[in-house]
Amino acid sequence: MTQCWRLDTISQSVILQSNNNQLPSVIYWGSKLPDSENITDLALCTVHDLNCGTLDAVADLSVAPLHSATYPGQPGLTIKDRQGQTLWLNLCFDREQLTDTDDTSELTLHFIDKALAISYQLIIIADRQTNMFVFQSKVSSENPIVIDWLAAPVLPAPHNSQHCIEFSGRWCGEFQMQQVPWHTGIRMRECLLGRTSHEHFPGVILPCTGTTNSHGYAFGLHYGWSGGHKMLAEELADGRRLIQFGHATANHSEPVTSAESAPLYATFSATGLNGLAKTFQQHLRQRIVKFPATEKLRPVHYNCWEAVYFDHDTSVLFDIAQKAAEAGAERFVLDDGWFINRNDDTTSLGDWFIDEQKYPQGLAPLISHVHSLNMGFGLWFEPEMISIDSDLYRQHPQWLLGPAEQQQGRQQLVLDLSQPAVCDYLFERLSHFLTQYDIEYIKWDHNRVLPIVDHKQTIALYRLLDKLRTAHPNVEIESCSSGGGRVDFGILKRTHRIWLSDSNDALERFWMQHNAALFFPGEITGSHIGPAHCHTSGRQLPLAFRAWVAASRHMGMEMDPRELSDSDIALIKKVTNWYKTNREWLHSGYILRLDSDDDAVLGELQIAADDSRFVAFIAQMTVSNQVLPKPIRLTGLEHDVRYEIALYNREQSAQTSRGNPALKSNKLTLSGRVLMDRGIQLPVAFPATLWVIEGKRI
């Protein structure tokens, strides 16, 4: 007996097949099939032959492969009883549920092992509006069981692919892309740090052979979870390939009667990596992030951290706020150092009370001053952390996560959020400030890894954030975790902005933003104009470059504005005014990566949702090997449509630029075919130049 199920989005199809009531396999995932496709014959064409030296049947590569089904690779589900004995499951089809709306189809398949009283659910949502598939798996049992491993449904990987694209990194160097060749055996990436982490972003791209940013087939997956996670890429000895995502090993530290994976977001593109980027950006915008005021444009931030650090003086902050507003800021964020005895990073985390020596009248005078400058006010917290030198630790040492004798990280430890009293305390403290003061924004920081990995910590964090958002629905929250240590769809269901990296080095930041745009749109990705002398890299970069890199995402500033000259202020005003003029369409459009023929040049194109206009940001990152700039080819345009293009910041040509390429002095009208196939010629540029090319459809 064979059963088949089909789900479609705008441009892709998934077909599942179950033989003899067993767990189903994904037998097709790719471009959308014709409505008339014969699914029965499609299933027949996937049947494997047998070879010598093998078992008498080829085990299915199901959504949860089981060793009990003689599967030769890594299982997708491993369960033990309370005594530690592995349970050999025989899950059989029980029933299905299909729910259809105008935008989505949701299929739930139920399987049960009646002898063991254990059930398995496969949930697949086909989102036709955003072109995204969302997969999830759930297990329940009448008796407590130990979950060793529960994969979000296991998916096949393409054979016509040479490598996977993974995302690793470090503090101040997140979202480093690396190509990992396919080979027989497993490739495992596991994050045991208790947060999404700089080191192991829970996503992967599977490009087919020859795929570029703009052309070819590719598959993209993201595991929407903010705690420890694991990814397995495996090529079996018989040649089949698969991808698994799930919570990290030992996430469930004690027996449970139910467990579920996080959502696995998956999409296919026939238009290169940019097709994946458009889907992820659109899905996050429409289904994940929910802004308190949808009509409000994203304000220009000012954050005082790199201007004052812990040295808070209200007269200085008044002056800084004044100058930030003059430069175009619309929101002032008071960072670390405002609470009691917090004069450095060794003390007082957890003691969320105003430091009356720094703020004898509380925060009201500063907030009033900020509001008088037509800026909103934001406040920094690090709620999940605790200092040993704090009143909270002295009063409640039992609130610590992990053993008392453990290695500190950044001179701090972690609170155990799974204890209700801890979350009650944190909710009361944060809610106190959000009620007493007119605060529109929280920068929520998380500056160390966890000593143990347990899903209960992440679940408790989600509940705390959900509770705060319910109580204070007009407050926006930024997810910061030593910069980009907690960036994922799970945290963004509860927050509204990510601080992608602690690095304000614009050269570093541009390539990080460029890579992160494969998953995240511009309006939620914070980017700030840093100091002239970067505090994290020691590099000095031109102000124009720093400003335009910030303007290419959710723009902000994070320097001491008192150090700016009149010409510096004028330049920042010019860029912030450009940002304010264009942010409405930028923050509803798409970021597409350009295929550059010069390794020293990195570029992207941001195009409006209605394709009426675009801006290309082209960065000269280092010195090119050749004498003259190579043409830069655009993407995402219509071949037979004409576009008017202009170089907005032509004054940034290098001093060595002696010629007169057309864009240096004129607008041009060219077809999309010319712009994408031949490309445009830019003036000579020094490193750390970001060209801004505006285009509009004629």
Side-chain angles (χ1 to χ4, degrees):
M1 175 183 174
T2 299
Q3 295 168 280
C4 292
W5 297 269
R6 172 176 175 166
L7 290 165
D8 298 305
T9 67
I10 302 168
S11 62
Q12 55 183 325
S13 297
V14 160
I15 309 296
L16 297 104
Q17 174 191 355
S18 169
N19 294 314
N20 301 318
N21 289 324
Q22 298 300 295
L23 290 173
S25 303
V26 175
I27 60 170
Y28 179 88
W29 176 25
S31 294
K32 188 175 181 180
L33 297 173
D35 292 341
S36 59
E37 189 71 55
N38 187 323
I39 304 303
T40 302
D41 281 0
L42 188 155
L44 289 174
C45 87
T46 66
V47 175
H48 291 276
D49 197 358
L50 291 174
N51 204 339
C52 295
T54 65
L55 296 176
D56 293 339
V58 177
D60 290 338
L61 200 169
S62 76
V63 293
L66 302 172
H67 277 328
S68 54
T70 66
Y71 177 71
Q74 298 296 308
L77 176 61
T78 306
I79 298 175
K80 295 179 180 177
D81 62 21
R82 300 188 71 165
Q83 288 71 44
Q85 295 296 314
T86 298
L87 298 176
W88 286 64
L89 298 170
N90 182 25
L91 293 164
C92 295
F93 178 75
D94 181 46
R95 66 188 188 280
E96 66 178 82
Q97 297 167 274
L98 179 63
T99 305
D100 268 314
T101 68
D102 290 341
D103 294 330
T104 63
S105 294
E106 180 172 343
L107 174 67
T108 303
L109 301 178
H110 298 259
F111 296 81
I112 189 168
D113 184 322
K114 293 182 178 179
L116 294 174
I118 294 174
S119 62
Y120 174 91
Q121 288 183 44
L122 167 66
I123 302 105
I124 307 175
I125 298 173
D127 194 318
R128 290 183 290 274
Q129 185 175 8
T130 67
N131 198 37
M132 181 72 77
F133 284 111
V134 185
F135 296 87
Q136 192 171 21
S137 57
K138 298 182 180 181
V139 170
S140 59
S141 173
E142 291 184 7
N143 303 305
I145 52 176
V146 176
I147 307 289
D148 270 3
W149 173 243
L150 171 61
V154 176
L155 297 176
H159 292 283
N160 59 331
S161 174
Q162 303 302 311
H163 59 262
C164 305
I165 298 176
E166 300 176 359
F167 299 84
S168 59
R170 55 171 173 78
W171 178 72
C172 286
E174 295 85 344
F175 276 92
Q176 298 178 30
M177 291 173 62
Q178 56 182 355
Q179 296 184 0
V180 180
W182 281 102
H183 59 81
T184 303
I186 66 167
R187 159 73 172 173
M188 185 181 82
R189 288 175 61 92
E190 185 163 29
C191 173
L192 298 174
L193 304 175
R195 62 181 181 182
T196 316
S197 90
H198 308 79
E199 296 83 355
H200 305 292
F201 174 71
V204 70
I205 289 174
L206 311 173
C208 294
T209 304
T211 293
T212 66
N213 287 319
S214 300
H215 303 284
Y217 291 169
F219 300 79
L221 300 97
H222 169 55
Y223 191 61
W225 177 246
S226 309
H229 58 269
K230 180 163 68 175
M231 183 202 82
L232 284 169
E234 183 172 16
E235 182 173 308
L236 302 175
D238 60 28
R240 290 179 293 172
R241 293 172 172 177
L242 60 109
I243 291 285
Q244 301 191 39
F245 275 96
H247 291 4
T249 302
N251 248 268
H252 296 87
S253 56
E254 50 194 46
V256 296
T257 55
S258 64
E260 61 183 35
S261 73
L264 178 62
Y265 302 90
T267 188
F268 164 80
S269 165
T271 55
L273 304 190
N274 286 332
L276 303 178
K278 288 185 69 173
T279 296
F280 280 114
Q281 291 170 28
Q282 179 169 293
H283 190 81
L284 188 141
R285 178 179 288 142
Q286 296 187 20
R287 301 290 190 243
I288 305 296
V289 175
K290 303 298 180 186
F291 290 108
T294 55
E295 74 284 353
K296 183 178 180 180
L297 299 176
R298 308 299 290 137
V300 177
H301 272 223
Y302 176 78
N303 184 292
C304 70
W305 176 240
E306 293 198 14
V308 300
Y309 289 103
F310 298 102
D311 187 14
H312 287 214
D313 181 294
T314 52
S315 62
V316 170
L317 290 168
F318 272 50
D319 190 21
I320 287 175
Q322 177 78 41
K323 289 181 168 53
E326 291 172 1
E330 299 166 302
R331 175 180 285 159
F332 182 94
V333 180
L334 184 66
D335 213 284
D336 195 357
W338 58 267
F339 51 101
I340 189 167
N341 297 325
R342 182 68 165 176
N343 299 311
D344 56 42
D345 63 359
T346 66
T347 180
S348 303
L349 284 174
D351 296 342
W352 301 111
F353 299 87
I354 293 287
D355 189 323
E356 295 181 356
Q357 302 223 342
K358 297 177 182 178
Y359 298 94
Q361 300 177 63
L363 296 177
L366 177 59
I367 295 175
S368 178
H369 177 66
V370 166
H371 287 166
S372 74
L373 299 169
N374 295 317
M375 292 193 293
F377 184 81
L379 190 60
W380 179 95
F381 290 93
E382 194 174 0
E384 298 154 82
M385 302 297 157
I386 185 171
S387 303
I388 289 181
D389 183 9
S390 67
D391 292 337
L392 186 66
Y393 183 78
R394 286 183 281 271
Q395 293 167 7
H396 297 287
Q398 75 279 11
W399 284 4
L400 189 67
L401 180 68
E405 300 299 325
Q406 61 174 275
Q407 180 64 52
Q408 293 189 59
R410 293 181 57 154
Q411 294 89 48
Q412 60 196 55
L413 301 171
V414 187
L415 289 167
D416 183 357
L417 300 188
S418 69
Q419 298 185 41
V422 175
C423 284
D424 289 346
Y425 167 78
L426 293 175
F427 176 81
E428 186 278 325
R429 282 290 80 208
L430 270 68
S431 193
H432 165 81
F433 287 99
L434 298 178
T435 302
Q436 180 174 352
Y437 297 112
D438 188 359
I439 296 171
E440 68 174 29
Y441 185 84
I442 291 175
K443 179 180 176 182
W444 187 297
D445 216 338
H446 180 281
N447 278 317
R448 66 152 290 172
V449 299
L450 304 191
I452 59 175
V453 181
D454 194 323
H455 76 291
K456 291 187 295 185
Q457 183 80 358
T458 305
I459 295 298
L461 167 67
Y462 286 169
R463 288 174 179 163
L464 176 58
L465 286 166
D466 291 342
K467 186 176 180 181
L468 277 166
R469 286 193 60 188
T470 299
H472 306 280
N474 296 321
V475 175
E476 287 188 23
I477 303 174
E478 173 183 273
S479 175
C480 174
S481 185
S482 307
R486 191 158 62 195
V487 172
D488 60 82
F489 281 24
I491 200 69
L492 281 166
K493 280 191 173 182
R494 287 111 184 142
T495 59
H496 311 89
R497 188 183 199 246
I498 53 175
W499 183 231
L500 190 64
S501 176
D502 275 344
S503 174
N504 276 323
D505 182 309
L507 277 171
E508 299 290 315
R509 193 147 199 118
F510 190 72
W511 66 255
M512 282 189 269
Q513 293 175 179
H514 184 71
N515 292 344
L518 286 165
F519 298 92
F520 303 103
E523 69 268 26
I524 60 99
T525 307
S527 187
H528 295 173
I529 306 172
H533 187 275
C534 181
H535 295 185
T536 55
S537 71
R539 189 153 41 194
Q540 297 190 51
L541 295 170
L543 177 59
F545 185 70
R546 289 181 277 137
W548 282 115
V549 169
S552 68
R553 295 298 187 269
H554 182 200
M555 186 178 188
M557 312 172 204
E558 192 168 341
M559 87 298 273
D560 191 339
R562 297 171 299 170
E563 299 175 356
L564 299 173
S565 66
D566 290 344
S567 61
D568 290 340
I569 291 289
L571 175 57
I572 292 176
K573 280 184 177 180
K574 177 182 178 181
V575 178
T576 55
N577 286 339
W578 181 93
Y579 170 84
K580 292 173 183 178
T581 299
N582 292 282
R583 60 186 162 186
E584 184 170 10
W585 70 264
L586 285 172
H587 293 167
S588 59
Y590 303 103
I591 304 170
L592 308 178
R593 296 155 55 93
L594 301 182
D595 291 312
S596 176
D597 297 314
D598 185 344
D599 291 340
V601 173
L602 191 64
E604 63 186 35
L605 182 138
Q606 300 194 26
I607 189 165
D610 62 2
D611 296 334
S612 63
R613 58 196 306 179
F614 65 83
V615 60
F617 294 105
I618 314 297
Q620 185 75 39
M621 304 292 284
T622 60
V623 177
S624 296
N625 290 329
Q626 74 285 346
V627 174
L628 298 175
K630 293 182 178 181
I632 186 77
R633 291 173 285 115
L634 304 187
T635 192
L637 308 179
E638 293 189 43
H639 285 134
D640 299 328
V641 169
R642 293 187 305 146
Y643 297 87
E644 181 183 88
I645 63 170
L647 183 58
Y648 183 83
N649 56 340
R650 58 186 63 159
E651 73 281 356
Q652 290 183 29
S653 297
Q655 295 173 359
T656 56
S657 172
R658 300 185 299 123
N660 191 29
L663 283 176
K664 203 172 178 180
S665 55
N666 299 297
K667 296 180 179 179
L668 296 174
T669 300
L670 296 166
S671 70
R673 186 174 298 278
V674 168
L675 293 171
M676 292 190 293
D677 292 354
R678 196 276 172 192
I680 56 176
Q681 205 71 51
L682 291 167
V684 173
F686 287 144
T689 298
L690 186 65
W691 294 121
V692 182
I693 300 107
E694 295 182 306
K696 62 181 180 181
R697 180 183 180 130
I698 297 178

